[in-house]
Amino acid sequence: IGFKGYVVGSPRYMAPEVFFGDAPPETEYLRDVYALGCLAFETLTGVHAFSADAAGEYMRMHMFEDAQRPSRVRPEVPAAFDAVIARALAKEPWDRTQSVAELRQQLVEAHESSREPERILVLDDDADWAELVSAVLRRRFRSARVDVIDNPQEALLAVDLERYSLIVADLQMPLLSGLEWTRRVRSTSRGKNLPIIIVTGSGGAAEWKEATSLGVAGVLLKPVHGDDLVNMVSRVLRETRASESPAAG
């Protein structure tokens, strides 16, 4: 905010037109876009879009220098974010992303486009049933990798070695029940928050209570309709993506 020749605000996040002092009133909301772009840059890279020791230097950088690409500052940042941040930090207000909502959506889309394909593990000792479940999932989630394992011990090892997005596990297995298997997975660092869906042809209130206490994402009763399976998997994956999104909340 400028008044009587002064500029009031945090110099790290102020739009160039504020320093020039000639910003049209109708572009005021675009200053928020610029500030959010600076915050997004900081969130992605861990450093400020512009760094200086004095307010005057911040002013010069915001007015005349372009911010570095986030992927150059921090190589593990997906390149999809570079164009989004560059547009949000455009020097001319009308060249900028035209709303905070639009910027948020672009950040979400950049995140989604750079995600690794979903990896789903189907754990069931019934080979025919496991193959049916995996076929349904592969048909619906075409970019996903779907693994099938019939041995709970092997599945525990797979969870340690692979980065799964979600697991569909049978409740009744001869070597280890689905709930006991889930309990063991929860004791590992990688499996602590791993989404798990339990599929079962039996069980009662005690099993459902234990499943809830273990943080199971959902329970499906056999015979499972393909649409019910797909809907639950879609919901769990969607909630997981939302919780991981940089623009969440």
Side-chain angles (χ1 to χ4, degrees):
I1 301 172
F3 63 96
K4 294 184 179 179
Y6 290 89
V7 174
V8 179
S10 174
R12 288 195 178 105
Y13 309 109
M14 296 183 75
E17 61 269 23
V18 176
F19 296 114
F20 280 113
D22 59 355
E26 62 269 23
T27 66
E28 184 173 353
Y29 69 97
L30 294 172
R31 302 174 204 173
D32 294 334
V33 172
Y34 188 92
L36 183 58
C38 291
L39 284 170
F41 184 101
E42 188 176 331
T43 300
L44 290 166
T45 65
V47 299
H48 299 299
F50 300 102
S51 296
D53 295 326
E57 181 63 10
Y58 272 118
M59 180 187 301
R60 185 193 65 78
M61 296 176 79
H62 279 294
M63 293 168 69
F64 302 113
E65 290 192 11
D66 292 328
Q68 294 190 71
R69 297 190 305 273
S71 64
R72 183 173 182 179
V73 176
R74 188 176 176 187
E76 59 266 36
V77 174
F81 286 103
D82 290 347
V84 176
I85 297 300
R87 188 180 175 204
L89 298 183
K91 302 303 182 187
E92 293 294 333
W94 296 120
D95 292 336
R96 225 168 274 159
T97 313
Q98 290 300 293
S99 71
V100 168
E102 183 183 354
L103 176 55
R104 181 186 185 281
Q105 182 60 34
Q106 289 177 358
L107 289 169
V108 170
E109 290 174 356
H111 177 69
E112 291 293 329
S113 69
S114 60
R115 286 179 60 89
E116 294 182 3
E118 308 289 359
R119 302 187 68 174
I120 302 173
L121 171 62
V122 177
L123 170 59
D124 199 313
D125 62 304
D126 184 333
D128 291 338
W129 175 254
E131 190 56 40
L132 176 61
V133 170
S134 64
V136 170
L137 294 176
R138 290 187 181 109
R139 185 166 59 250
R140 172 58 179 81
F141 305 98
R142 295 184 181 277
S143 64
R145 168 180 163 179
V146 181
D147 297 336
V148 177
I149 298 179
D150 61 5
N151 184 299
Q153 298 294 348
E154 291 181 10
L156 287 173
L157 179 60
V159 170
D160 282 337
L161 297 177
E162 306 289 348
R163 190 176 296 277
Y164 285 107
S165 309
L166 178 144
I167 294 176
V168 179
D170 187 27
L171 177 65
Q172 300 294 335
M173 293 181 287
L175 298 177
L176 201 64
S177 75
L179 291 178
E180 177 59 31
W181 185 85
T182 299
R183 187 179 297 106
R184 296 191 186 186
V185 168
R186 289 288 185 250
S187 68
T188 67
S189 58
R190 181 163 286 185
K192 183 178 180 180
N193 298 309
L194 184 61
I196 298 174
I197 294 173
I198 295 292
V199 180
T200 179
S202 61
E207 285 79 9
W208 309 149
K209 183 177 180 180
E210 185 174 3
T212 300
S213 70
L214 290 171
V216 168
V219 177
L220 290 170
L221 295 176
K222 294 180 179 179
V224 178
H225 192 282
D227 288 344
D228 293 334
L229 173 64
V230 166
N231 289 339
M232 182 170 287
V233 169
S234 296
R235 174 183 62 79
V236 173
L237 291 177
R238 185 169 59 251
E239 291 173 352
T240 301
R241 294 189 199 107
S243 68
E244 295 174 351
S245 170

